[in-house]
Amino acid sequence: LPSHHHRGSWLHCTTAATAASPSRTTRTSAMSASKRQKTAAGGAAEEGGGASSSTLNAATGKEQDFTHLLPPHWREEVHGWVRDDVPSIDIGGFVVGEKDEEAYLYGKSDGVLAGVPFFDAVFDHLGCTVEWRKQERDVIDASGGKVICAIVRGPARNILLGERTALNTLARASGVASAARAAADVGIAHGWHGHIAGTRKTTPGFRIVEKYALLVGGAATHRLDLSHMVMLKDNHVWSAGSISAAVAKAKVAAGFTSKIEVEARTLEEGFEAAGAGADIVMLDNMAPETLKAAAAELKAAHPHLIVEASGGITFETMHEYFSPHVDVVSRGNLTQGYDVLDFSLKIARASDKAALAKA
C-alpha cells in the first residue's frame, strides 16, 4: 500500500524508530572532509574594502543550522513528493516485505553535501531512521571511490519506497550547494566584499530546497519569491510607461517595509531608478568594464545605493565583475542547469557490513 495509506500501516516501523528526537533521526559526528574547491579564475580583482561578506557566509556557514529557516509546511511538501512517487500499490515493496534492513547511502562524486533535512524527512515519514556519517556542508571526496555518507534502517519495503525521492532531493540540493560553494570561493579568492547570489530561476515546487542549498553552499538566496522585495524589470517599466512611474507606484504599496530593485540596461536608466528612490539598481547584460564604470558613477552620486551585476554571468566570467562599487553578482545558473551529485542507496550485504566494521 502507498505511503499515504492510514498511518496504522506503518505501526511496525514507527514503533521501532521512535527516539527522543522529534524527527526520529540519529546522527553521528564525523571528521569533516571539508576542503575548498579550487577555482580556475586567477588574478586579483579590485579590493572591495572591509570584511568580505562572501567570506563570512562561507566561513561561518558551518556553524549555522539552516533548518531553522524552513517554514512550518516544508514536511508536508516532502510527504507530497513521496505520495507522488507511489500513488497506488507498490509491488516492489510487496516483494521485499517487512524484513528489517540497513541501507548504505554512498556518495559517488565530489561536491558539497546538502539537503540532509529533506532526506531525513522522507524516511522519517516512512518510520525509518537515518544515521549520518557525513554532515551537511561536508565536502565529499570520491576520488578514492564511493564514500558512505549515511545508514538508513527500517523495513525493507519502506527503505525502498523512499529511496528514489530521497536520492533525487539530495542529489539536486548537493549540486546547487556545490555550485554555490565554488562561486563563493571565487569571491573569497579575490578579496571581494559583495554577495554571490542566486535568482528566482528555480524549479517550480522545488524552490525551497534550491534556495536552502544556496545558503548551505555559502551564496545568497536573492529574493525568495514575488512577495519578497520588489523587482521592477523591463516589462514592468514598459507597461508602466517609465522607470520613475513604476517606482512611484511600487512605493505606494511597498511603503517602508520592502526594498525596491530596478533593472537598468544603461547608465541613464540606472540614474533614473536611483533618482526615483530605488534601493537597488541591477545593471543587466553589460560588459564587465562598462558595468563597473557605471557602478562607480552611480555610487558616487548615491553612496547608499546597492548595485547588482546580472545577465549572462558564468563561473568563468564572474570575477570580471568584482569591484568596490558592485555589491551583488547574481547568477541564474546556480539554480537552473546545475550539475547534480551522484548518490546511491544500497541494502547492506554481509560483505558491506564487514567492510564498514573494518573502516
Side-chain angles (χ1 to χ4, degrees):
L1 291 176
S3 62
H4 49 275
H5 181 61
H6 189 274
R7 289 290 288 183
S9 64
W10 306 120
L11 181 60
H12 169 77
C13 57
T14 305
T15 303
T18 301
S21 169
S23 64
R24 296 195 299 276
T25 59
T26 60
R27 302 175 185 173
T28 56
S29 297
M31 292 298 291
S32 170
S34 293
K35 62 180 183 180
R36 292 295 183 194
Q37 296 182 14
K38 303 298 183 183
T39 64
E46 301 168 86
E47 292 184 2
S52 165
S53 55
S54 295
T55 302
L56 293 175
N57 288 347
T60 64
K62 225 173 159 49
E63 302 169 4
Q64 307 301 322
D65 184 353
F66 292 121
T67 59
H68 297 160
L69 290 172
L70 297 174
H73 56 79
W74 73 274
R75 287 181 177 275
E76 297 171 19
E77 294 191 30
V78 174
H79 299 170
W81 302 337
V82 176
R83 179 168 184 154
D84 178 69
D85 198 38
V86 58
S88 184
I89 62 175
D90 175 20
I91 296 174
F94 166 74
V95 169
V96 298
E98 296 282 340
K99 179 184 176 184
D100 283 333
E101 293 279 16
E102 287 187 354
Y104 294 169
L105 171 67
Y106 293 105
K108 300 192 292 182
S109 57
D110 296 348
V112 177
L113 178 64
V116 166
F118 304 99
F119 187 95
D120 283 349
V122 169
F123 288 109
D124 177 59
H125 178 52
L126 300 174
C128 300
T129 64
V130 181
E131 176 189 336
W132 286 94
R133 300 178 67 85
K134 294 289 184 183
Q135 304 302 304
E136 190 157 68
R137 303 179 195 86
D138 280 356
V139 172
I140 299 170
D141 180 2
S143 60
K146 61 187 181 182
V147 178
I148 296 180
C149 298
I151 302 173
V152 180
R153 297 183 177 91
R157 71 185 184 103
N158 296 15
I159 293 175
L160 299 183
L161 195 157
E163 173 191 7
R164 180 44 52 194
T165 299
L167 289 177
N168 286 349
T169 305
L170 198 70
R172 286 159 174 77
S174 297
V176 172
S178 298
R181 174 75 64 85
D185 282 352
V186 174
I188 293 170
H190 286 78
W192 182 56
H193 75 288
H195 294 275
I196 307 296
T199 69
R200 207 164 53 84
K201 293 179 181 178
T202 54
T203 307
F206 203 64
R207 174 190 298 155
I208 191 170
V209 178
E210 291 169 336
K211 292 290 192 180
Y212 174 90
L214 285 172
L215 290 172
V216 171
T221 62
H222 211 295
R223 62 175 180 162
L224 300 175
D225 48 51
L226 281 174
S227 300
H228 186 214
M229 196 176 74
V230 180
M231 181 179 286
L232 302 175
K233 306 190 77 174
D234 50 9
N235 285 325
H236 299 95
V237 172
W238 294 337
S239 184
S242 70
I243 288 175
S244 298
V247 172
K249 190 165 185 179
K251 282 182 169 291
V252 172
F256 64 90
T257 60
S258 296
K259 288 184 177 179
I260 296 175
E261 178 169 9
V262 176
E263 177 185 86
R265 297 164 299 164
T266 65
L267 176 60
E268 291 70 29
E269 289 183 349
F271 270 113
E272 183 181 355
D279 302 285
I280 307 168
V281 169
M282 182 179 73
L283 300 176
D284 193 40
N285 287 306
M286 293 185 181
E289 295 307 317
T290 301
L291 186 145
K292 289 189 285 189
E297 288 195 47
L298 286 168
K299 286 280 197 172
H302 303 276
H304 299 294
L305 185 71
I306 295 174
V307 176
E308 175 182 345
S310 188
I313 300 174
T314 67
F315 176 78
E316 291 75 20
T317 63
M318 57 184 288
H319 68 282
E320 299 174 11
Y321 293 85
F322 295 162
S323 159
H325 312 295
V326 175
D327 305 295
V328 181
V329 171
S330 58
R331 288 177 45 202
N333 50 19
L334 289 178
T335 56
Q336 188 180 64
Y338 52 87
D339 292 332
V340 301
L341 265 62
D342 188 11
F343 293 95
S344 64
L345 186 67
K346 298 297 182 182
I347 296 293
R349 297 165 297 178
S351 59
D352 298 321
K353 295 179 181 179
L356 180 61
K358 292 179 181 178

